[in-house]
Amino acid sequence: MNFNPNQKRFFIALAVLFVQVVAVAQTVTSPDKNLSLDFKLQEGGIPVYTLTYKGKPVVKTSRLGIDTKDVAPFTDGFTIKDSQQSTVDLNWEPVMGEQKTIRNNYNELLVTLAQPKNNNRYIRLRFRVFNDGLGFRYEFPKQNDLSYFVVKEEVTEFQLAGDHKIFWIPGDYDTNEYPYTTSKISEIPGLQKKATVEISAQMPIANPSVQTPSMMKSADGLYINIHEAALINYPAMSLNVDAAKQKFSVHLTPDAVGNKGYMQTDAQTPWRTIVVSDKATDILASKLILNLNEPTKYKDVSFIKPVKYIGVWWEYFVAGRSTWAYGKENNVKLTDDFSKLTPNGKHGATTARVKEYIDFAAKNGFDGVLVEGWNVGWEDWIGHWKEEVFDFVTPYPDFDVKELKRYAESKGVKIIMHHETSGSATNYERRLDRAFQFMKDNGYTAVKTGYVGSIIPRGEHHDSQWMVNHYIHVAERAADYGIMVNSHEAVRPTGLNRTYPNWIAQESARGTEFEAMGGLNPEHTTILPFTRLMGGPMDFTPGIFQLDLGFYGTGSKQHVNTTLAKQLAYYVTMYSPLQMAADLPSNYERFPDAFQFIKDVAVDWDNTWVIEAEPGDYITIARKAKAKDEWFVGSVADENSRTATIDFSFLPKGKKYTAKVYADAPDAAWNGKQQNYTIKEVTVTSKTKLKQYVAPGGGFAISVK
């Protein structure tokens, strides 16, 4: 078909106009219309986005892109090749969780970007806008001009709209176990050194940076949480902090040679997530990160069950009552005859001791007993960066595997295996199948893994791509043997418990053990649900009743910085389908009425209601037990006393229930009279609004039947 010059000019102008419109206006809103994402290409073909909530800016114009080492970068020179929008609204059921059913409802924008200067090589940006936030990721389809590439860094930015209040820990490649600092974004550089306390195997990022999940509150009342979802075959991210501009940018964990990631198409990055609301309770209720993970491909999930357990563990932390190690000698090798070691007289994981724990578990209805220090190798590894420390199958001479298997089975209790890798992931992978077969042969269905120490392969980090893949490999291999995994010192979670539901819990934060090593600030557990727990369940190991550690006769002035009632509340506020009663059995026997709550409380749930919350100040949560007409409430506070209001409207209408309230006594506090508590019973209905006092650094727990 032939066109005259005027017609040609018209079609050219129309095409230019179309390109301009496509480049300028790519908008997608949340299903409830409160959240709006705008995407466009700036001059030079630079991709940028903005995010607003109810008209308020959440993220101002911020760059997107991936810088590369061996191919042309994915940062500029783009044109929009295609753009599609779609909507998803469906429900799914987790194997275990805070809710029986989770709704996955979002509007999606999928933009295909081509680079004419690089033979029209193309990538995709996928944005999903939920009512509670945004997730986006980079996708690299298979194509002739793109096969392999090395990631140098992401240029993903989060240009915030103000100098927000932020709850943060410093960026680090190897540990998440820092105490939280609360400050303005602008104050982070000046506080970075103080916040970077000494921790084993740490590798702080040199420039001002924070880890995710990063929780913020704006001056105009927006709560903003930045994290990532579905961290697979990619390094974990921290956030560089430009304090003057209140801008964050992605900082990926490098490997031993300084590269960030190795990609082969088809490939994609993890999702970058921004959860936002004008209500703090909505942040805790968000399931956005879980929804961005893929459903599990496991054909059999019948072996995955919630677990309430006790363990030979806390006694190692309180005044040296016992030790992981059996002997005294150093320079020990796996090839040595450990029966010839000189016993140190304090070994904790003895056959007799473990039987006492099994008896206690059976008597009180607990599912399992964790045993640490059962296997050879503990004498000589900390600080030595040794390749072969543990073999995961050889017990110490005073730990009778066969007898304990028989005894535990006779009592209806499972022993939980402990695999401390000493950070030597190479050694663990070599021995993994033999270790899991040993577990299966001896009736162990759950394992606690540990990664204390510098990583081997040497030069890798706990959060690098190689180790991210290692943790997933362990979870997948464990599933082949019908084993659940509880990982400690691993990369922080990103919702992968949906895809790998046998990865039942993680530590990946500063947990209860630090109460015996300097203590945790009273506000710590009012922050963790807004930060660490956004990514998945935490094995926080609560339930300490003997709060003054000088009780053990060593003259220690260390104490746990909570009240006893607050320890009970953790079983509700710190979600995990794996919950430990962490104290010594003898201490529970001294407080049987308070211990009753730990015996009663569920660990898997039909529903959850976040009643009130403010990060760093207080949290009150109610939950319904899975498949039971039982409800539990937990509330925790920072160092300030307060009065909580519990709205029982979550109860079925028209029925009366008995609520048993375990609360702080009027004179209790985190730093005095910590063990003083009260127990009372009240009648409640769905119309009840109960006011309850919370002591400084305290809390309360309620069971409703």
Side-chain angles (χ1 to χ4, degrees):
M1 183 179 295
N2 295 320
F3 296 102
N4 64 44
N6 289 333
Q7 288 175 316
K8 288 182 179 179
R9 283 193 292 269
F10 170 77
F11 284 116
I12 291 171
L14 186 63
V16 170
L17 178 61
F18 175 76
V19 170
Q20 289 175 340
V21 169
V22 170
V24 171
Q26 295 287 307
T27 300
V28 60
T29 61
S30 58
D32 65 5
K33 308 300 183 186
N34 286 332
L35 205 62
S36 180
L37 166 87
D38 289 319
F39 170 80
K40 67 178 181 180
L41 295 180
Q42 286 185 330
E43 184 177 351
I46 297 172
V48 297
Y49 75 105
T50 61
L51 185 67
T52 60
Y53 179 79
K54 294 183 179 179
K56 294 181 179 179
V58 178
V59 177
K60 293 184 173 181
T61 302
S62 299
R63 287 192 62 177
L64 298 166
I66 305 283
D67 196 6
T68 49
K69 190 169 184 179
D70 56 339
V71 300
F74 305 96
T75 54
D76 58 13
F78 286 110
T79 60
I80 295 179
K81 181 179 179 181
D82 187 37
S83 159
Q84 302 174 18
Q85 293 202 24
S86 59
T87 297
V88 167
D89 190 0
L90 53 83
N91 294 322
W92 61 279
E93 293 189 2
V95 176
M96 297 180 294
E98 298 176 272
Q99 297 169 211
K100 181 180 179 181
T101 303
I102 294 175
R103 186 182 183 188
N104 188 14
N105 182 206
Y106 59 84
N107 292 327
E108 179 175 283
L109 170 65
L110 178 60
V111 182
T112 302
L113 300 178
Q115 283 182 311
K117 65 181 181 181
N118 294 312
N119 296 322
N120 281 318
R121 183 186 68 175
Y122 65 95
I123 66 170
R124 295 190 180 111
L125 287 172
R126 192 180 298 270
F127 301 91
R128 290 181 180 172
V129 186
F130 302 76
N131 290 341
D132 52 352
L134 165 69
F136 64 90
R137 73 180 182 188
Y138 305 88
E139 299 177 355
F140 306 91
K142 273 190 175 180
Q143 53 198 282
N144 291 334
D145 293 299
L146 187 61
S147 297
Y148 306 90
F149 61 95
V150 178
V151 175
K152 184 178 181 181
E153 189 59 276
E154 273 192 43
V155 298
T156 306
E157 294 178 345
F158 305 88
Q159 175 60 69
L160 301 165
D163 192 10
H164 302 332
K165 181 180 182 180
I166 180 170
F167 305 85
W168 59 279
I169 57 177
D172 194 293
Y173 301 147
D174 278 303
T175 184
N176 322 110
E177 296 184 345
Y178 290 111
Y180 279 90
T181 299
T182 304
S183 72
K184 296 286 190 181
I185 294 172
S186 61
E187 297 170 333
I188 291 174
L191 295 170
Q192 191 95 15
K193 183 177 180 180
K194 180 180 178 182
T196 310
V197 300
E198 186 174 348
I199 300 176
S200 174
Q202 65 191 132
M203 183 61 70
I205 298 173
N207 54 286
S209 60
V210 298
Q211 294 189 43
T212 70
S214 181
M215 183 68 209
M216 292 166 282
K217 183 181 181 181
S218 70
D220 57 357
L222 288 186
Y223 297 88
I224 304 165
N225 185 284
I226 298 177
H227 190 35
E228 57 184 328
L231 176 60
I232 298 173
N233 194 28
Y234 205 75
M237 77 168 182
S238 292
L239 300 172
N240 296 317
V241 178
D242 186 333
K245 296 180 180 178
Q246 291 91 54
K247 181 170 69 175
F248 294 155
S249 60
V250 169
H251 184 114
L252 300 175
T253 304
D255 69 358
V257 297
N259 294 329
K260 301 298 180 83
Y262 302 87
M263 310 292 280
Q264 179 179 353
T265 59
D266 275 339
Q268 60 275 323
T269 68
W271 298 89
R272 279 58 188 102
T273 64
I274 306 170
V275 179
V276 59
S277 180
D278 50 13
K279 297 177 182 177
T281 53
D282 290 348
I283 304 297
L284 297 184
S286 174
K287 293 294 174 282
L288 180 149
I289 289 172
L290 267 181
N291 278 326
L292 288 169
N293 280 267
E294 292 298 315
T296 185
K297 294 180 180 178
Y298 293 171
K299 289 183 169 47
D300 178 18
V301 295
S302 62
F303 69 94
I304 303 170
K305 303 179 186 299
V307 178
K308 193 184 296 182
Y309 73 106
I310 60 172
V312 184
W313 179 76
W314 184 243
E315 63 183 73
Y316 297 136
F317 293 93
V318 289
R321 286 172 61 88
S322 59
T323 65
W324 287 271
Y326 168 82
K328 297 179 180 180
E329 283 83 349
N330 291 325
N331 194 24
V332 175
K333 296 181 179 180
L334 279 174
T335 54
D336 291 344
D337 183 354
F338 280 79
S339 66
K340 295 181 180 179
L341 277 179
T342 303
N344 63 20
K346 286 190 172 184
H347 185 223
T350 67
T351 302
R353 180 76 59 84
V354 175
K355 282 186 174 181
E356 292 175 3
Y357 277 83
I358 291 171
D359 289 341
F360 184 83
K363 177 183 176 181
N364 293 286
F366 284 76
D367 305 295
V369 175
L370 167 71
V371 184
E372 294 197 8
W374 69 276
N375 57 321
V376 300
W378 288 89
E379 282 73 20
D380 183 32
W381 65 277
I382 293 181
H384 296 301
W385 214 3
K386 290 170 63 177
E387 174 81 14
E388 294 188 335
V389 178
F390 304 107
D391 68 4
F392 314 105
V393 296
T394 305
Y396 279 123
D398 57 354
F399 185 87
D400 189 331
V401 174
K402 298 301 181 185
E403 170 58 16
L404 286 171
K405 176 179 184 290
R406 182 202 66 79
Y407 194 77
E409 287 176 348
S410 74
K411 298 284 185 172
V413 172
K414 293 283 189 180
I415 299 179
I416 300 173
M417 176 61 70
H418 182 227
H419 288 167
E420 175 52 63
T421 69
S422 70
S424 182
T426 49
N427 179 54
Y428 193 37
E429 289 197 4
R430 284 195 298 270
R431 301 175 184 273
L432 198 58
D433 282 283
R434 192 160 67 122
F436 285 160
Q437 187 62 53
F438 177 87
M439 287 181 60
K440 191 170 183 178
D441 292 343
N442 291 286
Y444 297 84
T445 57
V447 61
K448 174 183 175 181
T449 61
Y451 295 87
V452 177
S454 299
I455 293 297
I456 300 175
R458 293 178 178 87
E460 289 289 345
H461 298 288
H462 287 75
D463 292 356
S464 63
Q465 183 185 30
W466 195 95
M467 283 301 296
V468 165
N469 291 339
H470 165 81
Y471 305 127
I472 292 172
H473 171 66
V474 171
E476 289 181 314
R477 206 72 189 100
D480 292 337
Y481 289 85
I483 291 171
M484 297 181 289
V485 177
N486 165 29
S487 58
H488 281 228
E489 296 87 35
V491 68
R492 52 198 172 276
T494 59
L496 287 173
N497 54 306
R498 180 183 183 188
T499 310
Y500 309 101
N502 67 314
W503 198 351
I504 187 173
Q506 294 181 241
E507 180 196 36
S508 305
R510 204 171 180 90
T512 294
E513 65 199 64
F514 283 90
E515 293 283 20
M517 300 183 288
L520 300 171
N521 292 330
E523 69 174 7
H524 185 68
T525 47
T526 69
I527 296 173
L528 279 178
F530 287 96
T531 52
R532 159 64 184 79
L533 274 88
M534 292 294 292
M538 180 179 180
D539 185 28
F540 184 72
T541 59
I544 306 301
F545 279 13
Q546 183 50 55
L547 302 161
D548 179 2
L549 302 188
F551 170 84
Y552 299 103
T554 62
S556 170
K557 299 192 182 301
Q558 178 68 45
H559 63 86
V560 178
N561 294 333
T562 74
T563 63
L564 189 150
K566 187 176 186 178
Q567 290 288 324
L568 299 180
Y570 289 156
Y571 290 91
V572 182
T573 62
M574 303 288 288
Y575 167 67
S576 178
L578 175 80
Q579 288 283 21
M580 185 182 197
D583 210 337
L584 309 183
S586 58
N587 289 332
Y588 293 130
E589 290 168 346
R590 293 164 51 216
F591 301 94
D593 53 352
F595 184 53
Q596 187 63 45
F597 181 83
I598 299 179
K599 292 165 65 175
D600 290 343
V601 68
V603 290
D604 195 19
W605 308 100
D606 272 340
N607 214 337
T608 293
W609 300 268
V610 184
I611 297 173
E612 55 181 6
E614 183 64 31
D617 293 340
Y618 56 85
I619 295 170
T620 304
I621 293 177
R623 305 187 195 270
K624 181 184 179 298
K626 180 68 70 69
K628 292 182 179 180
D629 287 333
E630 297 178 4
W631 294 260
F632 297 88
V633 181
S635 184
V636 296
D638 63 2
E639 70 279 5
N640 301 303
S641 64
R642 66 183 300 269
T643 298
T645 300
I646 307 99
D647 183 344
F648 284 89
S649 59
F650 54 83
L651 292 173
K653 292 184 173 66
K655 293 185 178 182
K656 292 183 179 180
Y657 296 88
T658 298
K660 194 170 185 179
V661 183
Y662 303 76
D664 296 317
D667 60 348
W670 68 273
N671 55 358
K673 299 184 178 180
Q674 299 165 269
Q675 292 173 311
N676 290 5
Y677 61 91
T678 64
I679 301 176
K680 65 180 180 181
E681 290 188 353
V682 296
T683 299
V684 296
T685 71
S686 62
K687 296 180 180 179
T688 301
K689 289 182 174 58
L690 178 68
K691 292 189 179 298
Q692 180 59 53
Y693 171 73
V694 184
F700 62 82
I702 303 174
S703 63
V704 181
K705 298 183 180 180

